[in-house]
Amino acid sequence: MLLTFVILYLLVSIGIGLVAATRVKNTKDFAVAGRHLPLPVVTATVFATWFGAEAVFGISATFVKDGLRGVVADPFGSSLCLVIAGFFFATQLYKLNILTIGDYYRMRYNRTVEVITTLCIVASYLGWVSAQIKALGLIFNVVTNGAVSPEMGMVIGTAIVLTYTTFGGMFAVAVLDFVQMGVIMGGMLYIGYVVSGMTGGVAPVIAHASAAGKLDFFPPADLAMWLTFIGAWVTMMLGSIPQQDVFQRITSAKSAKIAVGGSILGGSTYFLFTFVPMFLAYSATLIDPAVFNDLLERDSQLILPTLVLTYMPVFAQVVFFGAVLSAIMSCSSATLLAPSVTFAENVVKGFFPRMGDHRFLWLMRATIVCFAGVVLAFALNSQSSIFKMVENAYKVTLAGAFVPLFFGAFWKRATTQGALFATIAGLGSWLMVEFLVAESLVPPQLIGLFVSAGGMVLGSLLPQWTGRPSPAPSLHGHHAAAQTHHVPHDGEHPHKPH
């Protein structure tokens, strides 16, 4: 019954995605859903994009091992990223009326900065999307009782997500996210209700976690531990801001007000709801300490699925795996779409400046297929945990893309030369420390961030040897609105040649 349900659920999801694909007429529909999404759908797609494999398996397993201190990056850093993006960037970026976050770097600086930051952004998605694919392989392996290997499960999962994402784009992602958010929340809350009945309620679980020190958030008075703690938090909080999936949800809204509200509501809902899988995983160690403590040492990502398959009735199993599949598929589709669209728009498109909109739409789709192949290969060969794959994903954008976005938005004196100094110095210093210094007291990505900021200031204040595009829009009030970048209708060229 469980396997039958999983197959039916996947077929329905593909069907919804293909129906949504009939609404995609041009690149604007494909990349930002035609900028027509209402507040409930924007909120749902923000939540569903982030509530994926790491939230269900990664965060919960890390919490059981390391407590709240271990999950400072996600959900604390990641949810704050969405709130910060909503408060400080949503309205201004929405007014620019552009397809990708890479377009902003070109408009504010130049083509070179656009390409470098875009490659940083695309590279950061490799670990995140691979984590979702790895989790799909885990699910297929568990629900088939080992008949489907994790590797084959990854291949099947990639093919399913790729099908509706390639045809339906952001519109299909948004529709499925809205449906899947209901499944995720209802399913997880129901499982929480069942599990709380097995532990004598929620309070005993919280009391046990508190007594075990799992609710201690801040590290002790140790400089190295504090720097590691801050590094993990900042990496997710700031490194996630210059991301296409965050940008897509902002610009898919019907209005700037909805863009702000959807980002903040989605981020807040995500933060609160990640505590449900944490509760479930920790409860497992109380229900059967011998089994689950042993599993914690061998593969902590199996705690939740083992709990459900061993101790839950079939109906609860169906509900749980329906919720998990919803979470992972919605996150996979969104994170597969975002880097592919960005790479097509901000790297490939520059080599074909006169390409029509219809051909560019098919270029985006071809890019998604290629990126999916790269991601699948990475997932099949990676030994990292789901949580670590996600946590490490944003180091590259923190070092190479955040400073040009932030300073370009809030410092009028930021120049193209400053942006080039920031990206090159930030990436170079991060990579050097990451791979050449065995034990760095300061996390390498934080060094990259500080060097990047210094490079921006120094490069902007020194005599300028590199040109600056005109006009160069900032995110300051009327000026941003005045320099709105036109998103084309079908058949129009998406932006002026550089």
Side-chain angles (χ1 to χ4, degrees), residues 410-429:
F410 300 108
W411 192 39
K412 291 182 179 180
R413 297 186 65 181
T415 66
T416 299
Q417 179 173 285
L420 287 171
F421 277 30
T423 54
I424 295 170
L427 288 171
S429 57

Side-chain angles (χ1 to χ4, degrees), residues 35 84-97 250-251 255-261 263 475 477 480-481:
R35 291 168 64 99
I84 291 170
F87 270 121
F88 296 104
F89 293 95
T91 300
Q92 296 91 335
L93 286 173
Y94 187 88
K95 288 178 181 177
L96 291 178
N97 195 19
I250 289 171
T251 52
S255 67
K257 186 177 180 180
I258 289 175
V260 175
S263 183
L475 300 188

Side-chain angles (χ1 to χ4, degrees), residues 155-195:
V155 175
I156 294 170
T158 302
I160 292 168
V161 174
L162 187 60
T163 300
Y164 67 79
T165 307
T166 303
F167 288 99
M170 185 60 199
F171 196 85
V173 169
V175 171
L176 278 167
D177 282 354
F178 185 69
V179 174
Q180 290 169 334
M181 181 180 179
V183 177
I184 293 167
M185 297 186 79
M188 286 292 174
L189 289 173
Y190 173 73
I191 297 298
Y193 169 77
V194 174
V195 168

Side-chain angles (χ1 to χ4, degrees), residues 1-331:
M1 181 179 175
L2 176 60
L3 185 58
T4 302
F5 168 79
V6 168
I7 293 171
L8 287 174
Y9 184 81
L10 294 173
L11 290 174
V12 169
S13 296
I14 293 172
I16 293 173
L18 293 179
V19 170
T22 61
R23 296 283 302 273
V24 176
K25 306 300 182 185
N26 52 45
T27 52
K28 185 177 177 181
D29 292 338
F30 190 82
V32 291
R35 291 168 64 99
H36 293 315
L37 301 184
L39 180 61
V41 178
V42 174
T43 302
T45 195
V46 169
F47 168 81
T49 298
W50 287 69
F51 197 89
E54 77 287 354
V56 180
F57 299 124
I59 293 175
S60 59
T62 304
F63 171 75
V64 174
K65 289 191 293 184
D66 304 324
L68 285 181
R69 193 177 301 148
V71 296
V72 60
D74 196 5
F76 290 91
S78 54
S79 54
L80 270 175
C81 157
L82 295 170
V83 173
I84 291 170
F87 270 121
F88 296 104
F89 293 95
T91 300
Q92 296 91 335
L93 286 173
Y94 187 88
K95 288 178 181 177
L96 291 178
N97 195 19
I98 49 183
L99 281 181
T100 68
I101 188 69
D103 287 341
Y104 171 76
Y105 290 104
R106 183 188 66 252
M107 295 172 69
R108 182 62 176 87
Y109 303 112
N110 67 2
R111 167 75 173 160
T112 305
V113 177
E114 172 193 17
V115 172
I116 295 173
T117 52
T118 296
L119 291 175
C120 289
I121 292 167
V122 172
S124 72
Y125 278 95
L126 192 60
W128 193 8
V129 188
S130 297
Q132 315 310 315
I133 300 304
K134 198 167 186 177
L136 283 173
L138 177 69
I139 292 299
F140 284 120
N141 177 253
V142 169
V143 298
T144 60
N145 198 26
V148 174
S149 68
E151 293 75 19
M152 182 55 66
M154 291 183 204
V155 175
I156 294 170
T158 302
I160 292 168
V161 174
L162 187 60
T163 300
Y164 67 79
T165 307
T166 303
F167 288 99
M170 185 60 199
F171 196 85
V173 169
V175 171
L176 278 167
D177 282 354
F178 185 69
V179 174
Q180 290 169 334
M181 181 180 179
V183 177
I184 293 167
M185 297 186 79
M188 286 292 174
L189 289 173
Y190 173 73
I191 297 298
Y193 169 77
V194 174
V195 168
S196 65
M198 301 169 69
T199 59
V202 176
V205 178
I206 295 176
H208 190 281
S210 179
K214 301 297 182 183
L215 302 186
D216 296 338
F217 182 63
F218 294 106
D222 179 275
L223 180 60
M225 294 182 70
W226 266 96
L227 287 172
T228 302
F229 178 82
I230 293 170
W233 196 343
V234 169
T235 300
M236 285 291 281
M237 181 172 63
L238 301 184
S240 302
I241 290 177
Q243 290 289 337
Q244 177 62 15
D245 62 283
V246 176
F247 174 83
Q248 270 180 315
R249 273 123 202 87
I250 289 171
T251 52
S252 297
K254 289 173 67 174
S255 67
K257 186 177 180 180
I258 289 175
V260 175
S263 183
I264 295 171
L265 282 174
S268 302
T269 305
Y270 170 76
F271 175 75
L272 295 173
F273 214 76
T274 49
F275 286 92
V276 177
M278 286 190 229
F279 167 78
L280 296 178
Y282 196 81
S283 296
T285 64
L286 304 185
I287 293 169
D288 194 336
V291 170
F292 289 105
N293 285 330
D294 177 63
L295 200 59
L296 186 64
E297 296 299 322
R298 290 189 292 111
D299 189 351
S300 57
Q301 294 169 160
L302 288 172
I303 289 178
L304 272 184
T306 303
L307 170 69
V308 173
L309 286 174
T310 306
Y311 293 95
M312 301 282 169
V314 174
F315 177 74
Q317 294 177 20
V318 168
V319 170
F320 174 79
F321 285 104
V324 170
L325 278 172
S326 292
I328 297 172
M329 287 173 63
S330 60
C331 192

Side-chain angles (χ1 to χ4, degrees), residues 292-494:
F292 289 105
N293 285 330
D294 177 63
L295 200 59
L296 186 64
E297 296 299 322
R298 290 189 292 111
D299 189 351
S300 57
Q301 294 169 160
L302 288 172
I303 289 178
L304 272 184
T306 303
L307 170 69
V308 173
L309 286 174
T310 306
Y311 293 95
M312 301 282 169
V314 174
F315 177 74
Q317 294 177 20
V318 168
V319 170
F320 174 79
F321 285 104
V324 170
L325 278 172
S326 292
I328 297 172
M329 287 173 63
S330 60
C331 192
S332 300
S333 57
T335 52
L336 192 59
L337 177 68
S340 304
V341 167
T342 305
F343 186 78
E345 163 75 3
N346 301 114
V347 177
V348 181
K349 180 72 175 181
F351 296 103
F352 306 97
R354 300 191 181 280
M355 182 183 293
D357 192 75
H358 181 71
R359 286 189 176 182
F360 185 46
L361 175 59
W362 282 101
L363 173 63
M364 284 184 173
R365 286 171 167 156
T367 307
I368 291 175
V369 175
C370 294
F371 189 71
V374 174
V375 165
L376 179 60
F378 185 81
L380 288 170
N381 291 283
S382 176
Q383 300 300 317
S384 299
S385 69
I386 290 171
F387 187 82
K388 280 297 177 186
M389 289 173 81
V390 172
E391 187 179 15
N392 292 333
Y394 301 107
K395 292 179 179 180
V396 61
T397 43
L398 182 70
F402 174 75
V403 167
L405 175 66
F406 179 80
F407 277 78
F410 300 108
W411 192 39
K412 291 182 179 180
R413 297 186 65 181
T415 66
T416 299
Q417 179 173 285
L420 287 171
F421 277 30
T423 54
I424 295 170
L427 288 171
S429 57
W430 164 61
L431 290 171
M432 190 180 301
V433 178
E434 185 79 53
F435 293 105
L436 298 181
V437 179
E439 293 292 335
S440 173
L441 179 63
V442 181
Q445 68 272 24
L446 278 189
I447 293 175
L449 175 65
F450 295 142
V451 172
S452 180
M456 170 60 82
V457 174
L458 185 65
S460 297
L461 297 181
L462 284 175
Q464 302 299 297
W465 54 266
T466 182
R468 181 171 177 170
S470 181
S474 68
L475 300 188
H476 294 287
H478 68 279
H479 186 54
Q483 301 297 341
T484 297
H485 180 58
H486 174 63
V487 174
H489 299 292
D490 196 20
E492 286 187 272
H493 183 62

